[in-house]
Amino acid sequence: MHSDRETDPLDPAYADVPATRINPHIPHPARIYDYLLGGKDNFASDRKAAEALIEMSPGTREGVRAHRAFVGRAVRYLAAEAGITQFLDIGTGIPTQDPTHTIAQQAVPEARVAYVDNDPIVLVHGRALLTGDPAGSTAMIEADLRQPEKILSDPAVQDVLDFTRPVAVILAGVLHFITDEENPYGVVEQLKAAVPSGSHLLLSHITLDFADHLSREEATKPYDKSSAPMVPRTHDETLRFFEGWDLVDPGLVEVVTWRPDPVEYQEQIPGGHAWAYGGLAIKP
């Protein structure tokens, strides 16, 4: 987002969003992520936080792109190979490139996707998402992952998704913004309990397992003043989110090694690691 929007609360793109709900001075994870992916829907505060991450770890930008590529591969697998036609994408972020419904509907035109985010800027841009394949259906609601009951009971979500049939719950790059005090495992268990056998959980999570040179305080500092501080977790801590479900091969692994596409361009990541685990599991 260019600087003119920072000083112009009357920008027509945000005409129906109260100005008090968009604070350009507080970095937001979705906008930081957008900047790292090369998007333009971000403020100076977001860019400053992102550049601090890059300075701390020169491979940050490439790692974020590797993470986004993992999500794309996993969604493609779900639609083309696992036969999933319904997706609940929570913490979707700004649709910089290849949103879930675009990928899924390429394989299954009738795919149905409900997007959930708590950032008003994401919601503004999300309205452009609602133009997918006419055979399918999409919706976007404002809700917070910390309130799964609100998500599950939302009329728009219930209109798009049939919870008596398998659903893919997508939690890509969002759980590391839920602190331990906010009960992330309990939140995920509520979502897992709401979907039937044959449903999938697609999850990715930031880790410091590959960052021996950094302390937790150093790694998370750029997010300290953001709307959601970052909480990296270990492999075991991330694996716990899948408890009771069966992991799809190759299990919970670094995102770059999850079913890499031989024809997909693989960027060299400075430092060699994407600092994120990714996995997919099916409900028995």
Side-chain angles (χ1 to χ4, degrees):
M1 179 167 301
H2 300 300
S3 59
D4 57 339
R5 288 189 182 171
E6 291 184 48
T7 57
D8 183 8
L10 299 180
D11 188 317
Y14 305 107
D16 56 350
V17 179
T20 54
R21 299 195 54 225
I22 298 178
N23 190 335
H25 306 297
I26 298 178
H28 190 283
R31 301 194 302 262
I32 295 171
Y33 192 73
D34 171 74
Y35 175 74
L36 291 169
L37 280 175
K40 298 179 180 179
D41 296 293
N42 44 75
F43 294 119
S45 61
D46 307 306
R47 296 190 286 274
K48 182 178 179 180
E51 290 297 338
L53 285 168
I54 293 170
E55 183 177 355
M56 178 187 66
S57 174
T60 296
R61 195 184 297 275
E62 293 82 1
V64 164
R65 287 199 284 257
H67 171 266
R68 186 62 205 168
F70 153 74
V71 176
R73 293 194 304 274
V75 170
R76 197 170 296 115
Y77 165 85
L78 286 165
E81 298 185 47
I84 295 295
T85 61
Q86 302 191 108
F87 299 81
L88 178 58
D89 189 342
I90 304 174
T92 180
I94 295 167
T96 299
Q97 60 182 23
D98 293 336
T100 297
H101 78 284
T102 300
I103 297 171
Q105 289 177 354
Q106 286 173 352
V108 185
E110 65 272 22
R112 306 173 71 84
V113 182
Y115 292 101
V116 181
D117 208 283
N118 67 348
D119 183 355
I121 286 183
V122 172
L123 299 174
V124 168
H125 289 275
R127 296 190 181 99
L129 293 173
L130 308 183
T131 55
D133 194 294
S137 180
T138 58
M140 172 164 269
I141 70 160
E142 180 177 8
D144 195 299
L145 174 58
R146 298 168 186 83
Q147 298 177 303
E149 64 285 344
K150 181 179 177 182
I151 295 171
L152 296 167
S153 63
D154 189 279
V157 171
Q158 294 203 342
D159 184 56
V160 170
L161 303 179
D162 176 1
F163 285 96
T164 68
R165 295 173 46 240
V167 176
V169 178
I170 301 176
L171 299 171
V174 63
L175 282 165
H176 44 253
F177 298 114
I178 308 295
T179 66
D180 291 341
E181 292 73 23
E182 292 169 322
N183 192 24
Y185 298 105
V187 165
V188 173
E189 287 305 316
Q190 281 185 259
L191 294 168
K192 289 161 65 178
V195 294
S197 174
S199 293
H200 286 67
L201 175 63
L202 193 176
L203 188 151
S204 59
H205 202 294
I206 291 294
T207 185
L208 295 182
D209 285 359
F210 309 105
D212 295 338
H213 62 295
L214 282 176
S215 70
R216 185 187 182 99
E217 290 72 24
E218 289 174 313
T220 60
K221 187 175 181 180
Y223 283 94
D224 284 350
K225 295 181 180 180
S226 80
S227 60
M230 188 171 70
V231 184
R233 292 187 171 94
T234 66
H235 186 274
D236 285 347
E237 289 170 332
T238 305
L239 189 64
R240 183 179 160 191
F241 287 113
F242 294 104
E243 197 169 82
W245 289 32
D246 299 325
L247 281 163
V248 173
D249 285 340
L252 180 67
V253 296
E254 194 176 359
V255 290
V256 291
T257 62
W258 195 92
R259 298 181 177 234
D261 188 335
V263 300
E264 182 181 77
Y265 173 65
Q266 300 287 330
E267 287 186 296
Q268 287 296 115
I269 302 175
H273 295 286
W275 290 24
Y277 288 120
L280 186 63
I282 184 171
K283 185 171 185 175

